Structures are given as C-alpha cells and as structure tokens.
Amino acid sequence: MARRRKRKSRRRLEGRKILDLVPQYSIDSGDDKPVTAARNFIHSEKIAPPALLLVKRNEHTTDRYFWAEKGLFGAQYVEENHFLFPSLRALLEEEEEYEDEEEPMLATC
C-alpha cells in the first residue's frame, strides 16, 4: 500500500525560513546530554541570542536548539511558534526591508 504524504504546515515552513537567517553553530555533545552541551557552549563562547545550535548526539542523531533572550528552546517549537520571539520578528522585518530596497533598483534597469 502507498503511504499518504504528510501535510506540511505553512506556519512551520515560515518558521524554518526565518531560522535560516539566524547564525548556526554545530557542536558535538561528547559525554554530556545534548542540552547541557549546548548550554556549556553558549556560556564558554559567550554567544549572543538569537542563534541556532546543532548538537550532534551520535553519528545518526542531531538535536537542534534555539538560543533566545528568554532561554534555550527546541528548534521545532520555535519553527511552529516563531511569532512569539521578538528577536525573530525583528530579524524578519530587517530581511523584508533589505528585499524592499533591492526591488526598486531592479525595476529601473
């Protein structure tokens, strides 16, 4: 039997596009739990929010975390609820302004 395709959430896809604009850091968890490794990395490198951390748990699994002003969140939660994070809203507005500035130049050519 053919499997039904899972429907893609528009809100989550929009959140994923926004998270692509955020700086990403890839780290290995080592002996720590992934969230502990992420917190230790943030503290040692003094990373300013917003940031996306990709923590490699083992050779097959990578956990994704979003570092915001209010703490560390799972990336999937942030994708679905990106409108709750002011830093992402500001980042999206900056990107839209940048795109608006480019359009008139293209139209005059």
Side-chain angles (χ1 to χ4, degrees):
M1 281 175 62
R3 285 179 60 171
R4 287 185 64 175
R5 275 183 33 192
K6 197 170 186 180
R7 207 180 286 170
K8 306 268 182 177
S9 165
R10 286 186 189 159
R11 184 166 48 164
R12 187 159 177 212
L13 289 174
E14 184 180 339
R16 188 168 278 248
K17 287 179 188 174
I18 295 169
L19 281 183
D20 286 342
L21 303 173
V22 175
Q24 294 185 5
Y25 300 92
S26 296
I27 61 172
D28 191 17
S29 66
D31 294 334
D32 294 330
K33 291 183 179 179
V35 70
T36 305
R39 289 182 187 281
N40 290 341
F41 182 77
I42 290 166
H43 181 70
S44 67
E45 299 294 320
K46 295 178 178 51
I47 296 173
L52 191 65
L53 293 142
L54 308 173
V55 183
K56 193 168 176 94
R57 194 184 322 173
N58 57 37
E59 61 186 79
H60 304 291
T61 310
T62 302
D63 293 333
R64 298 168 54 234
Y65 297 102
F66 178 73
W67 174 234
E69 291 84 4
K70 296 181 179 180
L72 195 62
F73 296 87
Q76 185 173 344
Y77 172 80
V78 176
E79 286 174 356
E80 294 170 356
N81 300 292
H82 57 87
F83 49 88
L84 297 175
F85 295 88
S87 59
L88 290 180
R89 256 189 269 140
L91 194 64
L92 185 61
E93 290 170 3
E94 287 177 14
E95 184 70 20
E96 288 173 355
E97 288 175 10
Y98 179 73
E99 288 175 0
D100 290 343
E101 289 174 5
E102 285 185 358
E103 287 180 20
M105 286 188 270
L106 295 174
T108 58
C109 292

